[in-house]
Amino acid sequence: MGVDLRQVVAGILTLTMFVMLGQMIKRDHFDSLQDKLPGDGEDAHFESVNAIENDGLVKLSKRSKGPWMEDIQELKPCWSRTDLDEIEQSRGYVTFSLTNGPEYHVSQIADAVVVARYLTATLVLPDIRGSKPGDVRNFEDIYDVDKFMKSLDGIVKVAKELPNEISIRDLAAVKVPNRVTEDHIVESVEPVFKSKGNIRLATYFPSVNMRKTAQKSSVDSVACLGMFGTFELQSEVLDVVDSMIERLRTLSRKSNGKFIAVDLRVEILENKNCHGSGSARAKSCYNAQEIALFLRKVGFDTDTTIYLTQSRWDNSLSVLRDIFPKTYTKESVMPDEKKGKFLESEDSEFEKVIDFYICSQSDVFVPAISGLFYANVAGKRIASGKPQILVPADIPGTSAPITNYLSPYVAKRNHLAYSCFC
């Protein structure tokens, strides 16, 4: 009995459809993962998305080799300082610390500004605390104090330190959830402030909720200003970041100076929570080999320059360098004269800040790890007209359109930044 060629072809097509369906189901599980955050809750995770080129969000560059995307026009703030009344006579003080790295700092400062504004209290310039006990830095060691204070002029009064007559021991400790609401301030913060006169604020993160909401609040403009309009690196740190970016662009001549930044840190990849859960093997992070295959399948050439947030080289990264020889960590691109202060001191605070700002300014950002770093880098990129954020995935076959993997923060325009910028 002869074989009907049409039946064979039909069978192959049916099998292919089932394989593709299986991969789609597997990617749908990607947005059901949760990672623990410092604080009292769980954070959110990557979302999988089939993005399409629309609304001018993504344009592939015709000038560069590879599937590079172009910047869009920098967005303008939706909030206006003229919408905010001048602050009343200040009463009492709100103190707080910046902790856990720059991805937390932007949220912590937004909440502190909102609380101080509502209470008409004076906000005390925060210190910066690292992960090690006793690791405390002054705000001006990393950020521009003058820029910070000027940005809040007329919105919130800012003092560089507490008056001598107020003891730190006399401050009432108050915890607020990230993206604190006016209702929460009224119910849980204002009574303590009225009773004690001065408070020490701490933000906790029930989730990484950086999506915009349909509900409008009277504190939205203040929160947007605090998150996107207050921080600027102090000059020495900014010079280091700029010099590293310039070095990466010099190494990227074949792609017209364009490079990719990948948030990939070995110590987090080794965490068991990265390896998936349940029979579906849903993933919250991707290792070096998976990132290498992903970038090749969406079309990046092997001579593409890649910057990793991993501080020092690890042998587990070699598989990525085998495919993309121009793969670098901080130790490779940081000026030698700056390594003593910013790298070899084993102070992770400077390193986290450098990573955050390089990932915010790279031509493409790939978050190999889900979490708040991804969410707040995405916000900074959206605000500055750099929506080229690719969420990795296990791609079946040998290739796929790059726009299929655009971050849902951009493809769905559901990031908080779209509430703050127009």
Side-chain angles (χ1 to χ4, degrees), residues 369-390:
I369 304 163
S370 65
L372 197 62
F373 188 95
Y374 159 45
N376 274 332
V377 166
K380 191 168 180 64
R381 292 183 66 93
I382 290 167
S384 61
K386 291 182 174 293
Q388 313 90 326
I389 307 165
L390 301 179

Side-chain angles (χ1 to χ4, degrees), residues 129-230:
R129 305 201 172 192
S131 56
K132 299 176 183 178
D135 183 7
V136 182
R137 291 189 172 276
N138 295 322
F139 185 87
E140 59 264 29
D141 290 340
I142 293 178
Y143 298 111
D144 186 325
V145 173
D146 292 337
K147 157 72 175 178
F148 180 78
M149 297 184 73
K150 185 177 180 180
S151 68
L152 294 174
D153 185 35
I155 307 300
V156 174
K157 289 189 176 181
V158 181
K160 291 189 176 181
E161 56 188 19
L162 274 172
N164 293 331
E165 62 269 20
I166 299 178
S167 171
I168 295 178
R169 292 189 296 270
D170 297 332
L171 299 173
V174 179
K175 296 181 71 174
V176 298
N178 177 224
R179 298 178 69 178
V180 64
T181 63
E182 184 176 345
D183 288 344
H184 184 90
I185 297 172
V186 171
E187 294 171 7
S188 303
V189 181
E190 190 172 27
V192 179
F193 182 74
K194 286 182 175 180
S195 172
K196 300 295 184 179
N198 306 289
I199 60 174
R200 179 163 181 79
L201 203 65
T203 296
Y204 66 93
F205 293 78
S207 67
V208 177
N209 179 16
M210 297 308 296
R211 299 180 187 89
K212 68 179 182 180
T213 60
Q215 297 176 335
K216 296 294 183 181
S217 168
S218 60
V219 302
D220 286 349
S221 291
V222 179
C224 287
L225 172 63
M227 181 168 286
F228 296 107
T230 58

Side-chain angles (χ1 to χ4, degrees), residues 47-291:
E47 295 176 76
S48 100
V49 63
N50 276 340
I52 59 174
E53 183 174 347
N54 61 8
D55 296 333
L57 291 178
V58 180
K59 291 184 179 179
L60 299 184
S61 174
K62 297 179 181 179
R63 298 191 303 271
S64 300
K65 184 179 181 181
W68 297 99
M69 295 176 282
E70 295 181 342
D71 291 350
I72 63 173
Q73 185 175 359
E74 187 171 344
L75 302 182
K76 302 298 183 183
C78 297
W79 77 86
S80 172
R81 295 177 66 92
T82 58
D83 295 336
L84 301 171
D85 296 330
E86 287 286 323
I87 53 175
E88 303 172 14
Q89 180 64 38
S90 181
R91 53 191 178 89
Y93 292 84
V94 172
T95 69
F96 69 110
S97 293
L98 300 176
T99 61
N100 299 315
E103 66 270 31
Y104 288 83
H105 296 175
V106 292
S107 296
Q108 291 163 344
I109 195 64
D111 291 327
V113 170
V114 166
V115 170
R117 165 81 181 185
Y118 186 88
L119 299 175
T120 64
T122 296
L123 188 67
V124 179
L125 203 67
D127 57 14
I128 301 173
R129 305 201 172 192
S131 56
K132 299 176 183 178
D135 183 7
V136 182
R137 291 189 172 276
N138 295 322
F139 185 87
E140 59 264 29
D141 290 340
I142 293 178
Y143 298 111
D144 186 325
V145 173
D146 292 337
K147 157 72 175 178
F148 180 78
M149 297 184 73
K150 185 177 180 180
S151 68
L152 294 174
D153 185 35
I155 307 300
V156 174
K157 289 189 176 181
V158 181
K160 291 189 176 181
E161 56 188 19
L162 274 172
N164 293 331
E165 62 269 20
I166 299 178
S167 171
I168 295 178
R169 292 189 296 270
D170 297 332
L171 299 173
V174 179
K175 296 181 71 174
V176 298
N178 177 224
R179 298 178 69 178
V180 64
T181 63
E182 184 176 345
D183 288 344
H184 184 90
I185 297 172
V186 171
E187 294 171 7
S188 303
V189 181
E190 190 172 27
V192 179
F193 182 74
K194 286 182 175 180
S195 172
K196 300 295 184 179
N198 306 289
I199 60 174
R200 179 163 181 79
L201 203 65
T203 296
Y204 66 93
F205 293 78
S207 67
V208 177
N209 179 16
M210 297 308 296
R211 299 180 187 89
K212 68 179 182 180
T213 60
Q215 297 176 335
K216 296 294 183 181
S217 168
S218 60
V219 302
D220 286 349
S221 291
V222 179
C224 287
L225 172 63
M227 181 168 286
F228 296 107
T230 58
F231 276 148
E232 189 171 295
L233 295 178
Q234 59 99 323
S235 58
E236 185 181 10
V237 182
L238 182 60
D239 287 345
V240 171
V241 170
D242 287 345
S243 66
M244 293 173 69
I245 290 175
E246 182 61 30
R247 173 64 175 157
L248 289 163
R249 297 205 183 284
T250 300
L251 293 165
S252 309
R253 289 193 183 95
K254 291 186 178 180
S255 56
N256 286 348
K258 296 180 180 290
F259 72 95
I260 300 172
V262 180
D263 180 30
L264 190 157
R265 289 162 278 162
V266 172
E267 70 276 10
I268 296 181
L269 294 177
E270 291 174 347
N271 188 304
K272 63 180 180 180
N273 291 332
C274 268
H275 301 303
S277 58
S279 59
R281 300 295 293 169
K283 299 168 72 73
S284 64
C285 50
Y286 284 81
N287 63 31
Q289 180 176 356
E290 291 166 328
I291 291 298

